[in-house]
Amino acid sequence: MSVHRDIRSPTQDCGECPIRHRAVCARCETDELAQLEQIKYYRSYQAGQTVIWSGDKMDFVASVVTGIATLTQTMEDGRRQMVGLLLPSDFVGRPGRSAAAYDVTATTDLVMCCFRRKPFEEMMASTPHIAHRLLEMTLDELDAAREWMLLLGRKTAREKISSLLAIIARRDASLKEPRADLGAITFDLPLTREEMADYLGLTLETVSRQMSALKRDGIITLDGKRHVTIPSVDALMEETGDDSDGGFLV
Amino acid sequence: MSVHRDIRSPTQDCGECPIRHRAVCARCETDELAQLEQIKYYRSYQAGQTVIWSGDKMDFVASVVTGIATLTQTMEDGRRQMVGLLLPSDFVGRPGRSAAAYDVTATTDLVMCCFRRKPFEEMMASTPHIAHRLLEMTLDELDAAREWMLLLGRKTAREKISSLLAIIARRDASLKEPRADLGAITFDLPLTREEMADYLGLTLETVSRQMSALKRDGIITLDGKRHVTIPSVDALMEETGDDSDGGFLV
DNA sequence: GATCTGCCTTGATACAGATCAACCAAGGAA
DNA sequence: TTCCTTGGTTGATCTGTATCAAGGCAGATC
């Protein structure tokens, strides 16, 4: 139990768990919640499978254990906007609300754990550090959403693509050992061109064109369609339009 | 104290306080927090005055008592995107974080109350219903941010303007007595054309043109530049691109 | 091996909204 | 009164991205 105590400490690794992500080790947290006997069941989804349909009851709380899910809003005429990425340790659900406004879909193979609703609410009251952590996570997501609003409202297509690549690269890099040498970074895109387009408020053609342009300009290298190498992180960051001093590894 | 107990009940009026907004009466909440001796001081700002500069320390928690503040992100070359509206009872601040990524500016004359940081955190732990309410508010803001992401990414200029007018009208209507007859609604725009543009990811010229177009088409009536009348809420909702069955008064 | 299907690329063209620029109206100061 | 400022409107033109359309490639299926 002791390794789980410091659940809020940033990028902490318990030393036993292979998953390490963002502010907390997801498995540790899940384990702790399981020990508190709050987890009702685990459930697996295949890539592409729908977790929640828009309009479904949302009377539950669940958390991503492994894999990636996306959160999408759709307009009547079919225009779609992705509004969130759910990564390991992220929560979905809104007990007390009757309906969801968006679809949740598995992008990769996905494992989620579902909580017992009533005990969860009691736990919220009785276990302050969990309640506090939920608030912190929600505030983080709000900050991320606000950064996306800037991207969606004011950035050019090239800046949007660069920003997305930078974000994925950063997340990917944070999973590996932090290295002094950030010369080159390589990763696989977890999204199709269409999903990227939905994320960025573009069409898939524009995404494809801008990826080609970045390749032509030497900002990225493509091996196949999904495998991306960034020879110079600095050069990529130049393209994002963001303040340059932001620092790549947070 | 008893009137403040049910602090989470939706759109509850304490019967003594002239301000009624969203899920809770802001003054009541502020009063309760004051009784808990958590409020450090109140402070007034004039319209246009900056509350927090981007990059300032954010080591505090504050809440809007009266007036409206905006939350804005700015890029190096001056492109600006509004990412939030702070209304009475909304909170800002993120104790534990060193710097803010955005400007907070008073749009109208503004009164805020600042909390004692340390006791606030203790209160978070010791007063579950306040912690829970903070989480609910943050989740509401996240939902609102996600709706804006759809607007910014996928809506046309006309749909953006209509959506903004609908949102302001809805908020304004919720401040008055709920009425069966929603035939016509009248209100004053709290934003300049430029602020509207920053909110919607447009230029002020496009905002002006689309306002003129909506006027020409009889969707709205303008008296001066700011005073708006909506003869038919249904007709306006048709223009927003949103699902029509959403219901105007939530 | 042939065909199919999902995902991606590239080209030609259209158009919504940005940009540049002139002007207007109201309010305040001199 | 006149000048000046602030916020808003409208017109002409430009341009970035959408749209429409035609392939291409790799893995799956027969």
Side-chain angles (χ1 to χ4, degrees), chain B residues 38 61 115-124 134:
Chain B
Q38 300 307 345
V61 181
F115 299 92
R116 300 174 201 283
R117 181 158 123 42
K118 198 62 185 297
F120 188 84
E121 286 178 350
E122 285 161 10
M123 180 183 64
M124 277 283 295
L134 269 179

Side-chain angles (χ1 to χ4, degrees), chain A residues 157 203 205-206 209:
Chain A
T203 59
E205 292 97 327
T206 300
R209 271 186 252 272

Side-chain angles (χ1 to χ4, degrees), chain B residues 2 6 15 31 38 96 122 126 164 177 191 195 211 231 245:
Chain B
S2 65
D6 194 18
D31 284 352
Q38 300 307 345
E122 285 161 10
S126 63
L164 178 57
E177 275 314 299
L191 304 173
E195 286 165 336
M211 289 289 286
D245 61 339

Side-chain angles (χ1 to χ4, degrees), chain B residues 159-173:
Chain B
E159 288 170 341
K160 287 180 176 180
I161 301 280
S162 303
S163 299
L164 178 57
L165 291 175
I167 286 175
I168 295 175
R170 175 190 293 135
R171 181 170 59 71
D172 224 66

Side-chain angles (χ1 to χ4, degrees), chain B residues 9-202:
Chain B
S9 68
T11 332
Q12 195 70 38
D13 191 359
C14 67
E16 301 165 12
C17 163
I19 307 161
R20 192 189 347 156
H21 172 62
R22 300 220 272 183
V24 77
C25 157
R27 177 103 78 91
C28 289
E29 179 168 64
T30 304
D31 284 352
E32 180 179 40
L33 291 168
Q35 282 171 30
L36 292 170
E37 295 188 348
Q38 300 307 345
I39 291 179
K40 203 164 156 193
Y41 56 81
Y42 290 83
R43 178 154 173 206
S44 303
Y45 300 85
Q46 291 185 321
Q49 206 176 338
T50 298
V51 178
I52 311 166
W53 279 104
S54 173
D56 273 8
K57 283 274 182 188
M58 245 222 194
D59 217 10
F60 64 91
V61 181
S63 176
V64 177
V65 180
T66 60
I68 301 179
T70 62
L71 234 145
T72 320
Q73 272 185 316
T74 309
M75 291 172 71
E76 283 174 327
D77 59 5
R79 281 177 281 175
R80 283 155 39 93
Q81 176 65 52
M82 205 180 289
V83 294
L85 267 185
L86 296 173
L87 301 163
S89 88
D90 282 338
F91 282 80
V92 246
R94 189 84 190 262
R97 293 296 164 103
S98 55
Y102 14 69
D103 303 334
V104 179
T105 313
T107 299
T108 63
D109 287 346
L110 184 70
V111 177
M112 302 201 67
C113 60
C114 239
F115 299 92
R116 300 174 201 283
R117 181 158 123 42
K118 198 62 185 297
F120 188 84
E121 286 178 350
E122 285 161 10
M123 180 183 64
M124 277 283 295
S126 63
T127 319
H129 79 281
I130 299 269
H132 195 283
R133 167 125 173 74
L134 269 179
L135 180 60
E136 288 285 318
M137 285 179 58
T138 310
L139 284 168
D140 282 343
E141 275 202 67
L142 190 56
D143 280 344
R146 284 172 169 161
E147 239 179 82
W148 271 125
M149 288 171 72
L150 176 65
L151 178 145
L152 289 169
R154 295 302 186 191
K155 286 191 180 178
T156 65
R158 176 182 261 245
E159 288 170 341
K160 287 180 176 180
I161 301 280
S162 303
S163 299
L164 178 57
L165 291 175
I167 286 175
I168 295 175
R170 175 190 293 135
R171 181 170 59 71
D172 224 66
S174 76
L175 292 179
K176 300 165 189 162
E177 275 314 299
R179 299 173 298 160
D181 174 26
L182 280 170
I185 289 188
T186 292
F187 57 90
D188 282 307
L189 277 174
L191 304 173
T192 66
R193 296 288 185 268
E194 187 173 17
E195 286 165 336
M196 291 172 71
D198 283 343
Y199 211 144
L200 300 171
L202 297 169

